Amino acid sequence: MTSCCSSSDRASKGPGKHHCPANDLEYSEVSVRTIVHHLAKPWGWTPSAGHYYFCGDPECEIAYFGDDNTVVLKSQLRTRVGVKESGEDALLCYCFGVSRADYALKPVIKDFVTKQTKAGLCSCETSNPSGRCCLRDFPKAHI
């Protein structure tokens, strides 16, 4: 059994990256399962693209986009997307509810998240709007 953060758990074998229709920057693929878990009204959304991608640009209102240029806006989500937020209450880890403020006050929280992830107790693929491992969203250590 692999952890949720391993690359072998990706949902599809399509092109791993695509350009956002709003900012033309390239972003990684995300599963329909991830999108459905974050939509405010998933019953009102019908996937039409072959592949979907997560836009991590804080300035872009698009959260997800398809290879057919369909989009899902931040305003259509029930989840606040931490990488698109500037506040200290923005989440770094969705699996365990760790905010930027939590991490700033107690950096050893990352050790806890790392241990849980290694034990396969995370749910990044669905809990994190990006569909990727939450550990990547923690600030790099300053040495």
Side-chain angles (χ1 to χ4, degrees):
M1 180 177 204
T2 59
S3 88
C4 74
C5 294
S6 72
S7 60
S8 64
D9 285 346
R10 278 284 177 214
S12 69
K13 301 296 180 204
K17 302 223 179 226
H18 198 70
H19 292 270
C20 175
N23 65 24
D24 202 37
L25 297 174
E26 193 174 64
Y27 295 100
S28 296
E29 189 170 356
V30 67
S31 71
V32 169
R33 179 180 179 183
T34 301
I35 297 170
V36 169
H37 278 268
H38 295 282
L39 286 168
K41 298 179 180 176
W43 53 87
W45 181 68
T46 303
S48 61
H51 300 279
Y52 285 92
Y53 306 85
F54 172 76
C55 177
D57 181 355
E59 303 299 317
C60 189
E61 289 301 310
I62 294 174
Y64 302 106
F65 59 94
D67 56 10
D68 63 352
N69 287 331
T70 56
V71 298
V72 175
L73 303 175
K74 280 182 5 179
S75 61
Q76 293 175 277
L77 303 180
R78 63 182 170 88
T79 309
R80 288 183 52 218
V81 181
V83 297
K84 289 182 171 281
E85 302 289 333
S86 59
E88 288 300 303
D89 62 337
L91 290 180
L92 295 173
C93 175
Y94 294 83
C95 301
F96 303 104
V98 179
S99 69
R100 286 186 188 128
D102 295 329
Y103 178 67
L105 289 172
K106 194 166 184 159
V108 296
I109 288 174
K110 185 176 179 182
D111 295 336
F112 168 81
V113 173
T114 300
K115 286 177 187 170
Q116 301 311 304
T117 300
K118 286 181 179 178
L121 300 175
C122 63
S123 59
C124 300
E125 185 180 344
T126 53
S127 295
N128 188 334
S130 71
R132 69 182 189 190
C133 183
C134 295
L135 288 169
R136 294 176 62 185
D137 294 334
F138 280 83
K140 302 289 183 240
H142 301 289
I143 300 173

